[in-house]
Amino acid sequence: METPHSKRLPIGDPGYRSELQKALNYSIVDLIDEFTAAGWDKWETLKALTKVVCDHALAHQEDRDQQPTPRRRQSGSAKPPPTHATGARRQGHGIR
């Protein structure tokens, strides 16, 4: 049974991230509405949600970095720095 959250595209497909964002959007809007209906300020809810998501991304990146790689890197090849989670943290999430 398909839900609004059902994955339709394989990772690597050019539309994968866009479809995932659309699927997440419905749940996030519902979550924000739920919190504002419970009395929380909408802007503060958005800032808190951004912080929680960034913290989860950083923790996940740290977990991924600690997992052994399937094959050894050739000597002299440097591991590229992560750009999606840590870069966002260094630059700030844009909501203050």
Side-chain angles (χ1 to χ4, degrees):
M1 177 172 106
E2 265 194 38
T3 71
H5 308 299
S6 295
K7 186 177 109 173
R8 294 175 178 85
L9 300 171
I11 292 178
D13 185 287
Y16 181 88
R17 186 170 293 172
S18 173
E19 285 297 314
L20 176 57
Q21 289 171 348
K22 286 178 193 173
L24 282 168
N25 187 56
Y26 295 109
S27 294
I28 290 171
V29 168
D30 288 345
L31 182 66
I32 293 165
D33 288 347
E34 183 179 325
F35 274 75
T36 55
W40 296 96
D41 177 75
K42 187 172 188 173
W43 184 244
E44 293 299 323
T45 300
L46 289 165
K47 290 191 305 184
L49 180 59
T50 302
K51 170 98 171 75
V52 169
V53 169
C54 286
D55 289 348
H56 277 276
L58 288 170
H60 179 70
Q61 183 64 42
E62 288 172 8
D63 289 345
R64 288 183 66 188
D65 288 346
Q66 292 174 5
Q67 293 176 358
T69 55
R71 56 191 154 115
R72 293 182 72 172
R73 295 185 180 275
Q74 296 176 353
S75 62
S77 67
K79 181 178 179 183
T83 57
H84 56 283
T86 56
R89 179 66 172 234
R90 267 186 262 125
Q91 297 171 6
H93 45 65
I95 298 178
R96 301 210 193 291

